[in-house]
Amino acid sequence: GDSVTQMEGPVTLSEEAFLTINCTYTATGYPSLFWYVQYPGEGLQLLLKATKADDKGSNKGFEATYRKETTSFHLEKGSVQVSDSAVYFCALSHTGGFKTIFGAGTRLFVKA
Amino acid sequence: NAGVTQTPKFQVLKTGQSMTLQCAQDMNHEYMSWYRQDPGMGLRLIHYSVGAGITDQGEVPNGYNVSRSTTEDFPLRLLSAAPSQTSVYFCASSYGRPSGTYNEQFFGPGTRLTVL
């Protein structure tokens, strides 16, 4: 069945460092891919998404590119801030389906 | 526009008790779903609904019931609580199905449930 694998955390970075959180997926066809972010004490909110191969999703300085050949959707940001500290979830929804499959989440700590 | 609201925020139950977690949305979304979040396991789908009167099971439906009598409300019922149901529960809604064009899911703030 469909699945999403994320790098284990926590990831600890200093402010202004470069961020990469790896995400790979297993799915048939061409799923939509998402990154959701969960700030402490809150529900998840959509950060960015891509719906077809080679699409790049971007928001708030974060980017991720849908790579069909490597089945990956890695999240990157050039310069993190303390306010980016949160849990990041990679997810997919299969074409024609009613379900979203989430990865286990990666916790990011950014130090001042 | 309140978005997705959930009540209660926290709940402690004893084994065998029943309760209902409430979820409501004011965005006229057709699709609603319930997830549980456990450490290291991401979010797992419990039940979902594609419209009023239509529900279906997700990945981990055992021990939970749902109904959808209106577009706005999607309550989750625990029939006989067990310690394995200790978790954080999130309700979510979206305009269309997750695989469609308008597929962003909006999440409520969650309910933290402890079963003793």
Side-chain angles (χ1 to χ4, degrees):
Chain A
D2 297 346
S3 66
V4 175
T5 302
Q6 291 180 236
M7 62 187 290
E8 285 192 27
V11 174
T12 303
L13 296 173
S14 297
E15 212 165 19
E16 300 183 1
F18 185 87
L19 169 71
T20 300
I21 300 178
N22 291 336
C23 170
T24 57
Y25 68 90
T26 301
T28 56
Y30 294 88
S32 292
L33 301 176
F34 309 85
W35 278 100
Y36 282 85
V37 58
Q38 183 181 30
Y39 297 104
E42 298 182 10
L44 281 71
Q45 54 187 275
L46 181 67
L47 181 60
L48 54 85
K49 71 177 185 182
T51 56
K52 61 183 188 295
D54 299 325
D55 264 3
K56 177 185 283 188
S58 61
N59 187 26
K60 299 181 181 180
F62 292 88
E63 292 183 340
T65 301
Y66 189 140
R67 301 286 188 201
K68 179 72 175 170
E69 64 277 12
T70 55
T71 62
S72 64
F73 193 55
H74 304 321
L75 182 68
E76 297 182 336
K77 187 176 185 183
S79 176
V80 294
Q81 305 299 313
V82 172
S83 57
D84 293 327
S85 297
V87 181
Y88 292 82
F89 292 90
C90 185
L92 69 83
S93 65
H94 199 281
T95 304
F98 289 98
K99 303 174 185 179
T100 302
I101 308 299
F102 288 86
T106 302
R107 184 175 296 276
L108 170 67
F109 291 106
V110 181
K111 303 179 297 184
Chain B
N1 197 337
V4 180
T5 58
Q6 291 183 238
T7 56
K9 283 186 179 288
F10 302 94
Q11 182 71 49
V12 179
L13 293 177
K14 294 181 180 178
T15 296
Q17 287 185 314
S18 63
M19 80 160 295
T20 300
L21 307 185
Q22 302 292 342
C23 173
Q25 52 90 10
D26 61 0
M27 297 173 283
N28 201 31
H29 285 171
E30 289 296 322
Y31 181 90
M32 297 185 74
S33 54
W34 276 102
Y35 295 89
R36 58 178 291 172
Q37 182 181 29
D38 300 295
M41 301 187 73
L43 277 75
R44 292 183 291 169
L45 183 65
I46 304 172
H47 286 284
Y48 66 95
S49 169
V50 300
I54 307 170
T55 64
D56 205 349
Q57 296 181 351
E59 183 183 354
V60 288
N62 292 342
Y64 307 94
N65 269 0
V66 293
S67 60
R68 184 97 178 269
S69 55
T70 67
T71 299
E72 294 78 20
D73 300 299
F74 190 44
L76 177 72
R77 281 182 288 278
L78 279 72
L79 308 173
S80 177
S84 60
Q85 293 178 304
T86 294
S87 187
V88 181
Y89 291 85
F90 288 100
C91 179
S93 73
S94 63
Y95 180 75
R97 65 175 70 183
S99 61
T101 302
Y102 302 103
N103 54 8
E104 173 184 354
Q105 290 197 69
F106 294 82
F107 284 81
T111 294
R112 186 174 294 275
L113 175 69
T114 301
V115 183
L116 303 175

